[in-house]
Amino acid sequence: MDTDTSTTAGADLGTGTAPAEPGPVDLGPVCRATARVAAGIPDELLDGPTPCPAYTVQGMLAHLAGLTIAFRDAAGKKSGPTTDTAPEPGNLPELAEGWRALLPRQLDELAEAWRDPAAWEGATRVGGVDLPGGVAGVVALDEVLVHGWDLARATGQGYEADEAGLWAAYGMLAAPRPAEGIFAPPVTVPRDAPLLDRVIGLSGRRPDWRPGE
């Protein structure tokens, strides 16, 4: 991703204060926001680009559908193909028929699964990686939030994320990176930018991205 070096680093806190130790967060608002975006995508834009060069709109929708199932099952500490299988680089998922009905239901199921306090306790597994439950919950939220924004930006829609969800994603993305290559390098944004823009910058995306750029 390109970096605008004329602005302050995206990892700077800027305006507002994030909670130091976010506890369980309701994924419902972020899941609903992403479901609204998906419902507004016309068929003619499914082959269009997204802020993630590897994904078209329909590829991103398929990726989102897969991760909702994986993280839903991770909340329930379920072991099996949905949680034990690591993503294969270059293996792009296909969008299932009936996705317009399936995806909103899967997002609802994801949010409901993480409303169980037990989901945030102990350890779980997702993508073939063992994680503390609390970490997996915030990663799930961040994935839905950022990819919901990807789809909104790709299809000319707005994205409205709740403040609690934004701060949870910000706290995770602003933390020291465990290793190179796990996340894209942050894109710098102004320190006084909206919180959503700062989260998107930390995820390695340009908040001002437009199709064709």
Side-chain angles (χ1 to χ4, degrees):
M1 292 290 180
D2 295 334
T3 300
D4 178 4
T5 56
S6 67
T7 55
T8 303
D12 286 351
L13 184 60
T15 305
T17 303
E21 294 291 341
V25 182
D26 184 7
L27 275 64
V30 166
C31 287
R32 288 192 294 272
T34 296
R36 285 193 294 270
V37 169
I41 298 175
D43 289 344
E44 58 266 26
L45 293 182
L46 289 175
D47 290 326
T50 72
C52 289
Y55 290 102
T56 61
V57 170
Q58 65 178 325
M60 183 64 73
L61 286 164
H63 174 64
L64 183 63
L67 73 87
T68 59
I69 293 172
F71 281 96
R72 178 201 66 194
D73 291 350
K77 311 294 195 293
K78 297 179 181 178
S79 180
T82 61
T83 56
D84 291 342
T85 304
E88 295 183 15
N91 185 16
L92 300 180
E94 294 185 5
L95 187 59
E97 292 186 14
W99 68 268
R100 291 188 183 278
L102 288 172
L103 183 57
R105 184 162 66 246
Q106 290 173 199
L107 286 164
D108 284 344
E109 291 173 353
L110 175 68
E112 185 60 30
W114 285 97
R115 290 191 180 106
D116 183 353
W120 298 81
E121 300 170 355
T124 189
R125 186 172 178 82
V126 66
V129 178
D130 294 318
L131 293 171
V135 172
V138 177
V139 172
L141 181 148
D142 176 73
E143 288 281 305
V144 174
L145 189 161
V146 172
H147 292 323
W149 179 90
D150 285 332
L151 291 168
R153 184 61 69 175
T155 58
Q157 302 184 64
Y159 190 80
E160 298 182 6
D162 68 305
E163 187 172 2
L166 284 170
W167 277 127
Y170 185 96
M172 183 193 73
L173 292 170
R177 307 268 167 136
E180 294 294 330
I182 294 179
F183 298 106
V187 171
T188 56
V189 298
R191 292 189 65 189
D192 59 353
L195 181 56
L196 175 59
D197 285 1
R198 285 183 276 150
V199 169
I200 294 304
L202 285 170
S203 76
R205 292 153 169 79
R206 284 176 38 215
D208 63 348
W209 183 92
R210 296 288 188 279
E213 295 183 355

